[in-house]
Amino acid sequence: MLDNDPKCSCENCDLKALFFSHVTIETLSNICEIKIEKSFQKGDYIIREGEAIKEFIYLKEGLVKLSRTAPDGKDQILSFSKPFDFVSLFSIFSSDVYNYSVTAIEDSVICMLDLDNVKRLAQTNAMFTMDLMSRFSAVADLILKDNLDIRRKHLRGRVAHVLLYFSNYIYKNSSFELPISRREIAEYIGMTTENVIRTLSEFRKDKILKIYGKDIEIVDFKRLVNISEHG
Amino acid sequence: MLDNDPKCSCENCDLKALFFSHVTIETLSNICEIKIEKSFQKGDYIIREGEAIKEFIYLKEGLVKLSRTAPDGKDQILSFSKPFDFVSLFSIFSSDVYNYSVTAIEDSVICMLDLDNVKRLAQTNAMFTMDLMSRFSAVADLILKDNLDIRRKHLRGRVAHVLLYFSNYIYKNSSFELPISRREIAEYIGMTTENVIRTLSEFRKDKILKIYGKDIEIVDFKRLVNISEHG
DNA sequence: AGGTTGATATGATAATTATCACAATGTAAT
DNA sequence: ATTACATTGTGATAATTATCATATCAACCT
């Protein structure tokens, strides 16, 4: 965890429009003054499952994973989030504790606002609450849709799905450095680590990918899309 | 679809507390006057995937399933909902069309309010919007948790999970009439119909269940719980 | 009554995925 | 530097699940 960055100001924040577009500059400034900005390095926990929810948190920079530890001790990854996708929101209005852990999978920066303050704002400013709810429902829908999409695919389709997710949605590039391990891919798609590794090797042998450790280059995009959609 | 029931009044509705507890009686009466109540028989579509969202809908009585048709034509069931669990809410603040179909799996009654009216209310009454968001986030959390729970289980554990869900959560009885077909169980847990049927037969042979068509009696509760949790 | 359809049921076999075993590499700690 | 440990990688085998074939039964239609 690095030091706070004093240069950040809500007024100039790219994320302001996300849920503060109906909040007056004065109110925003008040909130802003007591906000805390924190930096996390890749691998750091931002939120731990079971912790009390005391802050309203959103992601300014970076990439995180949402996960939980199942009763048998195995981790399950629910989704990945970049800025504009919400982070802490899933439980803050319905639970006292976080149901999921949030971990930085790239160096990340978050903003923390006092939850009681945000709740007070939400209780008085209906438009703010509407904006919040719209974001929240869009993200929830996305996660559910993604989970259903993965559910109906086989191993190869699931691995292709993850690769396309990072390529198309996160990095917007056919070459990228995979931010997660093979094990984490497995935890995300619900398969074993060995089978994820094997499948990646197959894709390499089939000249669909070039792989250098975590560096991935999608060579045959069409075929990968086809595998993702039709097995 | 049956006739409207003129006897229903919002003032006496059990569900009022759900999201109208911070709405004045006058406002509620205004909303109430233009509400439409509809009854559906088991099997009827209440909402079809892809339809434009024009109403705010909630379930007064009955039991429904949320599902979608995957690109390959196969159905996937996302969750089941009884009154107090929301129905239409998943997309109404983030999408113009329904992402999921809602089908009555028992005779059901819904209330329909004009969505623009509800949105206007949400934009002016922050407490109402907060209540709405709390319900919504609780339901979303529940669905996600349930999906993750199912994901980490094998066939037998998944079937046991569904049986316990209906027994514990829906009917609160060790005997109940299964409101869905074997195929629908399969669509819910992501396995084939044949394997669901086979597993039910195994449970019967193992004297865990008594089965008469759709009538289920859980005889060995402990063992079923154990299968659900540990395979 | 006869015919069609869909749901339930069961068995045999094929396909898919997990588990186990082991090796190589890389990385962090001391 | 060297031990310790996690990650990546591959093969053999076991376990799990899907597919296909077939049968029965009930509901519904004409």
Side-chain angles (χ1 to χ4, degrees):
Chain A
M1 206 182 295
L2 308 176
D3 287 344
N4 298 348
D5 178 1
K7 279 164 294 185
C8 166
S9 71
C10 296
E11 285 85 355
N12 300 322
C13 179
D14 287 339
L15 296 172
K16 192 175 59 174
L18 261 189
F19 31 79
F20 292 135
S21 60
H22 291 97
V23 177
T24 63
I25 295 290
E26 296 80 48
T27 309
L28 190 57
S29 296
N30 290 339
I31 293 174
C32 218
E33 272 168 30
I34 54 168
K35 81 160 195 304
I36 298 173
E37 189 167 311
K38 276 190 182 168
S39 297
F40 293 86
Q41 287 185 300
K42 181 174 176 138
D44 289 344
Y45 272 103
I46 297 172
I47 290 167
R48 276 175 202 271
E49 190 182 346
E51 276 179 351
I53 303 177
K54 289 172 184 160
E55 286 100 5
F56 176 89
I57 298 176
Y58 62 91
L59 188 65
K60 271 198 69 172
E61 280 177 49
L63 193 62
V64 300
K65 68 169 179 181
L66 273 68
S67 67
R68 71 161 194 176
T69 302
D72 61 3
K74 286 181 185 164
D75 279 3
Q76 293 180 293
I77 294 178
L78 188 63
S79 71
F80 305 100
S81 292
K82 58 181 184 178
F84 288 81
D85 299 342
F86 259 175
V87 176
S88 81
L89 222 54
F90 255 84
S91 312
I92 63 171
F93 287 100
S94 63
S95 172
D96 294 332
V97 295
Y98 286 106
N99 291 321
Y100 303 101
S101 295
V102 180
T103 312
I105 57 173
E106 285 185 357
D107 293 351
S108 296
V109 181
I110 64 162
C111 264
M112 286 171 53
L113 308 177
D114 178 68
L115 183 58
D116 289 335
N117 266 322
V118 174
K119 278 192 175 170
R120 261 195 296 279
L121 181 58
Q123 283 166 4
T124 53
N125 186 332
M127 289 302 287
F128 165 69
T129 317
M130 278 279 286
D131 288 345
L132 218 53
M133 186 155 60
S134 298
R135 290 296 315 162
F136 177 43
S137 103
V139 171
D141 255 358
L142 208 63
I143 292 178
L144 280 169
K145 186 186 174 312
D146 196 54
N147 272 270
L148 286 177
D149 281 342
I150 289 174
R151 200 198 209 60
R152 67 188 181 77
K153 293 174 186 177
H154 287 173
L155 174 59
R156 284 167 63 89
R158 292 183 186 190
V159 174
H161 177 104
V162 176
L163 295 171
L164 291 170
Y165 171 81
F166 283 111
S167 174
N168 291 334
Y169 186 67
I170 302 293
Y171 298 111
K172 301 179 199 308
N173 198 314
S174 62
S175 295
F176 58 91
E177 188 188 332
L178 204 57
I180 55 174
S181 67
R182 271 64 165 165
R183 183 169 54 76
E184 286 173 304
I185 294 178
E187 287 169 356
Y188 179 51
I189 66 174
M191 299 274 155
T192 57
T193 308
E194 293 96 318
N195 277 331
V196 169
I197 291 170
R198 241 186 289 270
T199 305
L200 288 172
S201 296
E202 280 173 32
F203 287 170
R204 178 173 41 71
K205 283 171 198 155
D206 293 347
K207 303 203 186 307
I208 297 168
L209 302 178
K210 288 184 181 170
I211 304 176
Y212 320 92
K214 290 235 159 70
D215 289 317
I216 305 282
E217 183 188 343
I218 300 177
V219 179
D220 195 337
F221 219 86
K222 257 189 198 169
R223 202 127 73 92
L224 197 61
V225 169
N226 190 56
I227 291 169
S228 173
E229 285 172 0
H230 307 108
Chain B
M1 207 182 295
L2 307 177
D3 286 344
N4 297 349
D5 178 0
K7 281 164 291 184
C8 166
S9 71
C10 295
E11 285 84 355
N12 300 323
C13 179
D14 287 339
L15 296 170
K16 191 174 59 174
L18 260 189
F19 32 80
F20 292 135
S21 60
H22 291 97
V23 176
T24 63
I25 296 289
E26 297 81 48
T27 309
L28 190 58
S29 295
N30 290 339
I31 293 174
C32 217
E33 273 168 30
I34 54 167
K35 80 161 196 304
I36 298 172
E37 188 168 311
K38 276 190 183 168
S39 296
F40 294 86
Q41 286 185 301
K42 180 171 177 142
D44 289 344
Y45 272 103
I46 297 173
I47 291 168
R48 277 173 202 271
E49 189 182 348
E51 276 180 352
I53 303 178
K54 289 172 184 161
E55 286 100 4
F56 175 88
I57 298 176
Y58 62 92
L59 188 65
K60 271 198 70 171
E61 279 177 50
L63 192 61
V64 301
K65 67 170 180 182
L66 273 67
S67 66
R68 70 161 193 177
T69 301
D72 60 4
K74 287 180 185 163
D75 278 3
Q76 294 180 294
I77 294 178
L78 189 63
S79 71
F80 305 101
S81 293
K82 58 180 184 177
F84 287 80
D85 299 342
F86 260 177
V87 176
S88 81
L89 222 53
F90 256 85
S91 313
I92 63 171
F93 286 100
S94 62
S95 171
D96 294 332
V97 296
Y98 286 106
N99 291 321
Y100 303 101
S101 293
V102 179
T103 312
I105 57 173
E106 285 186 358
D107 292 352
S108 296
V109 180
I110 64 164
C111 263
M112 286 171 53
L113 308 177
D114 179 68
L115 183 57
D116 290 334
N117 267 322
V118 174
K119 277 192 175 170
R120 260 193 297 280
L121 180 58
Q123 283 164 5
T124 53
N125 186 332
M127 289 301 287
F128 166 69
T129 318
M130 279 277 286
D131 288 345
L132 217 54
M133 187 154 60
S134 297
R135 290 295 317 162
F136 178 42
S137 104
V139 171
D141 255 359
L142 208 64
I143 293 178
L144 279 169
K145 185 185 174 316
D146 196 54
N147 273 270
L148 286 177
D149 282 343
I150 289 173
R151 201 198 208 59
R152 69 188 180 78
K153 292 174 186 177
H154 287 174
L155 173 58
R156 283 167 63 89
R158 291 183 186 189
V159 174
H161 177 104
V162 177
L163 295 172
L164 290 169
Y165 171 82
F166 283 111
S167 173
N168 291 333
Y169 187 67
I170 302 294
Y171 298 111
K172 301 180 198 311
N173 199 314
S174 62
S175 295
F176 57 92
E177 189 189 330
L178 204 56
I180 55 175
S181 67
R182 272 66 164 164
R183 182 169 56 75
E184 287 172 304
I185 295 178
E187 288 169 355
Y188 178 51
I189 65 175
M191 299 274 153
T192 57
T193 307
E194 292 98 319
N195 277 330
V196 168
I197 291 170
R198 240 186 291 270
T199 305
L200 287 172
S201 297
E202 280 173 31
F203 288 169
R204 178 173 40 72
K205 283 172 200 155
D206 293 346
K207 302 203 187 308
I208 297 168
L209 302 178
K210 288 185 181 168
I211 305 177
Y212 319 91
K214 289 234 160 66
D215 289 317
I216 304 282
E217 183 187 343
I218 299 177
V219 179
D220 196 336
F221 220 86
K222 260 191 196 167
R223 202 127 73 92
L224 197 60
V225 170
N226 189 56
I227 291 169
S228 174
E229 285 171 2
H230 307 108

